[in-house]
Amino acid sequence: MECAQEALRPFDLNDGPERHPVGAIWMIFNYGPEDILALSAHFKQLEEQQFIVPLLEWFLREIRDNQYLIAVDIQKYMKEYEASGNVDTVHEMLRRVLEWWEAWGNNVPCFSPYVDGVQAYRRSCTIHLNSSLPPAFRGAFRALLASTFPSESAPMDVERSKGIFATLNALGLLTDHEHLVGSTLRDFITQHLMETCKGEWETMCWPVLKDWYAAVVAPWIEVVYVRSWMKREWTKAIFDPLNAKYLWHMCEALAKLRISEIFDIIVDYPASSPAIADLKECLFQTGTRKELVQSLRTANKKRLLHPGADTKDIINLYVSTIRCLRVLDPMGSLLFSVADPIRQYLRERPDTIRTIVQNLIDPKSEFTSGEDGEVKPLQDTTYLADDYGDFGWMPEPAYADAAFRTTRATDIISTLVSIYDSRDIFVKELQVLLAKRLLEIKNKDYDPEIRNLEILKLRFGDAPLQVCDVMMKDITDSRRADQHIKNARKVELEKAKDSLPYLAPAAGNEEEELPLHATIISRLFWPSMPSTSLIMPGKFRKYQEEYARRFSEFKPDRKIRFIPNLGTVSLELELQDRTLNVEATPLQAAIVDLFSSKDTWVADELAVQLGNLDIPSVDKALEFWMDQGVVSSLGNKQYKLLEVAEDKRTVVMRPARRSSLNETPAATKMEEQQAEQMRVYWQAKISTPQFIQGMLTNFPSLPTDRIHTMLKFAPNYDRTREQLARFLEALKRSERSSKLPLSTASGVANVLIFYSSVIDGQLWCPDCRFVESIIKTTFENSADRQGIIVYVGDQATWRNPNNTYRKGWKISSVPTLIRLNAEGKEESRLVDSEITLKRLTAFLN
């Protein structure tokens, strides 16, 4: 028993045999076959006396009691590593621990014939080793593993790596710290992926990553886990699952990277098509569709769906989203989950219809043609694709939302038009936009508009665009009539010269030809034109009357009425020291014509002479001539004609103003006209039962078809579904633009908010648009204030001195806020630039 204990007793490797007599005994039993046989004989005698188990328990206690010797060495090496950062120090420490284990367990195999002493010894050593390792070992272990990875500058040192992993395997650290091995390898893969693939969208990264994995990662895994003595079947059973595991991790990391970049990838599409292909491959393997939908919806809400984004940019990104998600998921479930917030937001924007229509007729638009370049008719996006007779039919994907239904694939234009319930509102907007474009053409080149109209017929059909055909016919007939009037005038003058040559007009007399070209349109088929009280003076009126008379002679059953605020006038002004060629609006031409009869005018006098125009319009026209150096201001609204140009050094330069037909809208929005007609009809004819009134109150939650069906029960209701859809869309937008999220605690509003009216989908006054969000935000945070929005009218109505709000409420500028007391009388007001967030908060509180 004593000989066995002396042979098994642990000793300090740092001391020599002379300091440890036990070491001499160990040395004796460590050499020679006869000595080993003698020790084995001792163990056999102990087994016969049933002392083997007590001996093993004693040995394990000795290992535990002497474990501090190994811990001292570990602390020494770890301090050295923390000071130098050299990972080879960690490897030396592990080899030193292995030396301790081998020295103390040299005679442990003598237990093997009787008990599993080797396994008990290794288990005890492993437990004590893990308890002796300091917290810093985790980082040191990861650094040691990372040092075995290859890099671009240095390939993997196979022999060194094999030595490190052999030591780790002998100590059991590869098994006990398998999570650290896996996390270190995953970090290495992710780091390489981020360095090579982040922001790289113009080439596919997944094939390159797979090649890199096969050349770098797979050999490393083989070095770590595969041993030379293993059979081929064992190697395959170990290597293949690990290889698939980390290859899947690389695929998942690439998918997460592309998902985090998806918004920018869509913005850059189609240049980023390879990145979409990468994402498609990774989505198929990893199933990260939910993360993609959540990431894209969050990015859209943060970066796209806000008032600062232009509607055109939102629509372009929506189109790119459709194209990208159709590549990722041809079934359409991803698009269904992502597109709904965008569609709802676009439906709330007042200029969405106009922007879509402008892109429809723009030949340079990115989505005017189908996916294959062919112009296709509009398709019904609600048509279900459940055609079970089609052998290519596919069921709805299992990962789709519960509300998703597979529909027939449609082109981009059909998808955009389907944002609204009715196509008729697009046709009406097309009429308004076509009218504007036709009236702005000066070179009589109408071929592009004819081509655009034919393309639109292919999409919407011939019947909805019959009014547009009438408009184009009016333009053609107008050119013919204008040419006929010109030719008739020439014929009359030639006959007069031939019969009475001595009566031919002398120089300075009446013009031989009418210097007037008119575009004649049908009042009933064109959108409403803005009205004005402008009366053209002098020769201009004479030209108009002469042209109207000759047109009536040409077409006796028709008469023309000039719209004096539309068109352009080419003028040649002959002054004393200069001659100017200017293209002006009719109002500007009329004002300068009045200056030909008198050098000095007062603005009010000019307004009266021109048909009692509003003063701001006259001032605006006078500013144009001041910019041209033709008129100068004398103060007190007096203006003088400058026959001789002023010295430029003494003239205060004014910012140049552009004279354009855009200053006066060519046509009123057809949608607003139709909605107003429907509103009048609604109030005048329909006496709706109480339950239908409740339904209409909540109509945003009901489809148009259902509302239309239920309204058929109401007396006097004879409108079509398209008319109802236009009315509901206009009503929703008008409610959104006129309502503030005000408290309803009291029934009486105590703040009046004066805004400019909504023109072309927005407040025409830029100052009102600027403060609108400030006012809305402040009222949301004020629980005891209610407000009423008052629209003061369009520009012409507001500039009229007799405007109701100018007289009744003494409003001189918009925006204006007036606070009322309990009796409804004014307490205080904020005007224009005074409306800031700080002052408005104090004003309400």
Side-chain angles (χ1 to χ4, degrees):
M1 185 67 175
E2 292 181 0
C3 293
Q5 288 179 340
E6 294 298 332
L8 294 172
R9 190 184 305 276
F11 61 94
D12 190 354
L13 289 181
N14 297 316
D15 296 334
E18 64 279 0
R19 297 188 56 186
H20 276 275
V22 177
I25 300 176
W26 175 80
M27 294 292 291
I28 293 174
F29 284 100
N30 195 39
Y31 294 99
E34 62 281 1
D35 297 325
I36 296 177
L37 290 175
L39 183 60
S40 299
H42 287 294
F43 274 85
K44 185 176 181 180
Q45 293 178 4
L46 294 173
E47 168 61 20
E48 292 175 353
Q49 298 176 9
Q50 298 183 355
F51 286 142
I52 285 295
V53 175
L55 180 62
L56 179 60
E57 293 176 352
W58 170 85
F59 174 66
L60 296 178
R61 285 196 302 269
E62 288 292 318
I63 293 296
R64 181 190 62 192
D65 294 340
N66 289 275
Q67 188 65 34
Y68 71 92
L69 298 174
I70 300 178
V72 171
D73 274 359
I74 291 176
Q75 293 177 2
K76 181 184 68 174
Y77 281 103
M78 286 302 299
K79 288 181 179 180
E80 183 179 347
Y81 165 74
E82 292 175 356
S84 63
N86 187 1
V87 294
D88 290 335
T89 304
V90 181
H91 188 204
E92 293 177 4
M93 178 190 72
L94 298 177
R95 285 190 297 181
R96 180 62 174 176
V97 173
L98 188 59
E99 290 179 6
W100 283 96
W101 286 17
E102 291 176 350
W104 289 357
N106 187 67
N107 294 319
V108 173
C110 295
F111 287 100
S112 296
Y114 316 108
V115 293
D116 192 358
V118 175
Q119 184 66 25
Y121 170 68
R122 292 187 61 83
R123 183 168 58 250
S124 178
C125 290
T126 301
I127 293 173
H128 297 314
L129 174 62
N130 290 330
S131 64
S132 301
L133 293 174
F137 177 75
R138 179 187 180 91
F141 183 77
R142 289 174 60 91
L144 179 62
L145 294 176
S147 68
T148 63
F149 293 132
S151 62
E152 296 181 359
S153 58
M156 182 174 63
D157 189 344
V158 178
E159 296 301 324
R160 176 178 176 275
S161 300
K162 286 184 177 180
I164 291 174
F165 291 118
T167 303
L168 295 175
N169 186 56
L171 295 175
L173 294 178
L174 285 179
T175 303
D176 295 341
H177 295 78
E178 185 177 3
H179 63 288
L180 290 179
V181 178
S183 63
T184 304
L185 180 56
R186 286 192 294 269
D187 290 347
F188 173 66
I189 295 174
T190 303
Q191 180 182 358
H192 174 79
L193 184 144
M194 296 295 289
E195 292 174 353
T196 57
C197 301
K198 187 174 182 180
E200 183 62 38
W201 304 333
E202 296 184 358
T203 57
M204 281 194 66
C205 295
W206 179 240
V208 178
L209 286 175
K210 288 196 295 185
D211 294 341
W212 171 82
Y213 182 91
V216 175
V217 180
W220 188 87
I221 295 175
E222 187 174 354
V223 170
V224 175
Y225 293 101
V226 178
R227 300 293 175 263
S228 58
W229 49 267
M230 292 182 178
K231 295 182 179 181
R232 182 180 181 84
E233 294 79 8
W234 297 356
T235 301
K236 185 176 179 62
I238 295 175
F239 178 77
D240 289 352
L242 291 171
N243 186 63
K245 172 184 176 182
Y246 292 109
L247 188 63
W248 184 90
H249 166 74
M250 185 172 69
C251 184
E252 183 187 36
L254 181 60
K256 290 181 178 180
L257 174 62
R258 291 293 180 249
I259 288 174
S260 66
E261 301 173 327
I262 186 62
F263 186 88
D264 297 307
I265 290 175
I266 291 176
V267 171
D268 203 38
Y269 190 84
S272 59
S273 298
I276 295 294
D278 282 338
L279 183 56
K280 181 179 181 180
E281 181 72 23
C282 296
L283 283 179
F284 177 77
Q285 297 188 26
T286 61
T288 51
R289 293 175 177 82
K290 184 177 180 181
E291 291 79 1
L292 172 63
V293 171
Q294 184 177 0
S295 174
L296 189 52
R297 288 174 67 112
T298 303
N300 285 338
K301 183 178 180 181
K302 180 179 180 181
R303 301 176 60 181
L304 184 68
L305 306 181
H306 57 80
D310 187 69
T311 302
K312 183 177 181 180
D313 296 334
I314 297 176
I315 293 177
N316 287 336
L317 189 66
Y318 178 42
V319 171
S320 297
T321 301
I322 294 172
R323 291 172 175 166
C324 291
L325 296 187
R326 282 181 177 176
V327 173
L328 296 176
D329 178 26
M331 297 292 292
S333 63
L334 284 178
L335 182 60
F336 176 82
S337 302
V338 171
D340 188 57
I342 304 178
R343 293 170 64 87
Q344 291 182 5
Y345 187 79
L346 286 174
R347 194 178 297 118
E348 295 175 357
R349 283 239 173 175
D351 57 341
T352 299
I353 298 175
R354 181 177 297 103
T355 305
I356 295 176
V357 170
Q358 288 174 348
N359 281 276
L360 283 176
I361 65 177
D362 185 2
K364 298 181 180 180
S365 175
E366 297 181 357
F367 52 91
T368 51
S369 60
E371 298 293 340
D372 54 357
E374 179 184 357
V375 178
K376 301 177 181 178
L378 293 180
Q379 302 169 357
D380 187 2
T381 58
T382 62
Y383 177 79
L384 298 180
D386 288 342
D387 184 5
Y388 300 103
D390 182 10
F391 290 100
W393 174 86
M394 294 292 292
E396 295 172 0
Y399 49 80
D401 292 342
F404 171 73
R405 292 295 180 268
T406 304
T407 57
R408 182 174 55 189
T410 57
D411 61 354
I412 298 297
I413 298 298
S414 299
T415 305
L416 290 176
V417 172
S418 68
I419 292 177
Y420 296 91
D421 294 333
S422 174
R423 299 178 183 177
D424 196 46
I425 56 179
F426 287 94
V427 176
K428 298 300 180 182
E429 190 65 34
L430 277 170
Q431 295 173 10
V432 174
L433 189 59
L434 179 62
K436 179 180 178 181
R437 292 170 67 94
L438 289 176
L439 294 178
E440 288 179 350
I441 294 176
K442 300 178 183 178
N443 58 1
K444 298 183 179 181
D445 182 13
Y446 300 99
D447 292 339
E449 303 306 324
I450 296 175
R451 174 185 175 276
N452 290 334
L453 182 58
E454 294 301 321
I455 292 176
L456 293 173
K457 286 182 180 179
L458 294 177
R459 294 194 178 279
F460 291 91
D462 292 339
L465 296 177
Q466 287 180 351
V467 174
C468 295
D469 286 335
V470 175
M471 295 165 62
M472 293 301 303
K473 186 176 183 300
D474 283 347
I475 294 296
T476 304
D477 294 344
S478 174
R479 295 169 61 184
R480 188 182 300 113
D482 184 72
Q483 188 63 36
H484 175 81
I485 292 173
K486 299 296 180 184
N487 294 336
R489 176 66 173 169
K490 289 180 180 179
V491 171
E492 289 182 1
L493 292 175
E494 290 176 358
K495 288 182 178 180
K497 290 179 182 179
D498 293 340
S499 60
L500 300 172
Y502 57 87
L503 295 179
N509 290 349
E510 182 181 1
E511 296 281 351
E512 292 189 358
E513 295 184 9
L514 283 175
L516 175 63
H517 297 273
T519 300
I520 305 170
I521 61 177
S522 302
R523 177 176 59 87
L524 298 178
F525 293 93
W526 283 65
S528 300
M529 301 298 168
S531 60
T532 180
S533 60
L534 173 63
I535 299 176
M536 299 299 292
K539 291 184 178 180
F540 295 112
R541 188 181 351 173
K542 182 179 179 181
Y543 294 149
Q544 290 177 347
E545 293 173 352
E546 177 68 15
Y547 196 97
R549 182 183 65 80
R550 293 186 176 276
F551 179 80
S552 297
E553 293 175 357
F554 176 57
K555 292 188 175 182
D557 58 336
R558 298 179 64 183
K559 295 182 179 180
I560 60 174
R561 177 178 60 85
F562 284 93
I563 306 175
N565 57 319
L566 297 182
T568 57
V569 182
S570 298
L571 298 174
E572 182 177 346
L573 304 180
E574 295 183 354
L575 303 172
Q576 290 184 9
D577 62 340
R578 64 198 185 282
T579 300
L580 300 178
N581 292 312
V582 181
E583 188 174 275
T585 63
L587 174 58
Q588 295 165 355
I591 288 178
V592 79
D593 183 66
L594 291 176
F595 273 99
S596 64
S597 61
K598 188 171 69 172
D599 289 345
T600 304
W601 286 86
V602 180
D604 294 339
E605 295 178 353
L606 290 172
V608 173
Q609 289 290 328
L610 297 175
N612 294 320
L613 287 179
D614 57 291
I615 300 300
S617 298
V618 176
D619 292 340
K620 188 176 182 181
L622 287 169
E623 288 178 5
F624 170 77
W625 290 119
M626 292 172 65
D627 294 337
Q628 299 295 327
V630 177
V631 174
S632 65
S633 176
L634 301 178
N636 296 326
K637 293 188 176 182
Q638 290 187 347
Y639 298 89
K640 178 183 178 181
L641 178 67
L642 296 177
E643 287 285 355
V644 179
E646 293 180 344
D647 187 356
K648 295 183 178 180
R649 292 174 296 179
T650 62
V651 175
V652 179
M653 297 301 296
R654 301 173 57 85
R657 301 180 60 87
R658 295 186 60 185
S659 175
S660 172
L661 293 177
N662 293 332
E663 295 179 357
T664 303
T668 307
K669 288 184 61 178
M670 185 61 65
E671 179 186 343
E672 296 177 0
Q673 300 174 32
Q674 297 289 340
E676 183 61 28
Q677 295 174 6
M678 186 73 175
R679 187 177 290 105
V680 173
Y681 169 85
W682 198 276
Q683 296 173 354
K685 292 189 176 182
I686 297 182
S687 56
T688 312
Q690 190 66 30
F691 78 96
I692 297 183
Q693 292 183 4
M695 176 197 64
L696 293 178
T697 303
N698 299 280
F699 75 83
S701 62
L702 295 177
T704 305
D705 291 334
R706 185 175 178 187
I707 298 175
H708 180 63
T709 302
M710 298 183 70
L711 283 176
K712 289 181 180 179
F713 295 100
N716 301 324
Y717 180 77
D718 57 357
R719 294 293 167 142
T720 64
R721 178 191 178 282
E722 288 72 19
Q723 290 174 324
L724 176 63
R726 290 196 305 270
F727 171 69
L728 296 180
E729 288 293 340
L731 184 60
K732 282 190 285 186
R733 279 197 292 274
S734 65
E735 288 183 353
R736 280 191 294 268
S737 62
S738 62
K739 285 186 177 181
L740 287 175
L742 307 177
S743 171
T744 57
S746 60
V748 180
N750 43 31
V751 177
L752 296 180
I753 306 167
F754 292 88
Y755 279 155
S756 63
S757 293
V758 178
I759 303 297
D760 293 335
Q762 63 179 357
L763 300 171
W764 60 258
C765 174
D767 295 333
C768 295
R769 294 197 299 268
F770 179 77
V771 303
E772 185 179 17
S773 60
I774 299 176
I775 294 175
K776 181 178 179 181
T777 302
T778 308
F779 269 93
E780 287 177 345
N781 300 326
S782 178
D784 56 346
R785 289 289 181 185
Q786 292 185 355
I788 293 180
I789 295 178
V790 180
Y791 296 111
V792 300
D794 57 16
Q795 291 171 299
T797 304
W798 167 243
R799 290 168 179 167
N800 190 340
N802 297 322
N803 184 284
T804 303
Y805 305 107
R806 287 183 181 271
K807 287 188 172 183
W809 289 95
K810 307 298 181 183
I811 304 298
S812 60
S813 177
V814 287
T816 295
L817 273 71
I818 297 180
R819 189 177 69 223
L820 306 178
N821 57 20
E823 299 176 356
K825 297 182 179 180
E826 179 179 347
E827 287 185 341
S828 62
R829 66 172 61 191
L830 291 178
V831 180
D832 204 349
S833 59
E834 298 176 350
I835 304 175
T836 63
L837 183 60
K838 183 177 180 180
R839 296 190 65 175
L840 181 58
T841 303
F843 178 80
L844 295 179
N845 297 329

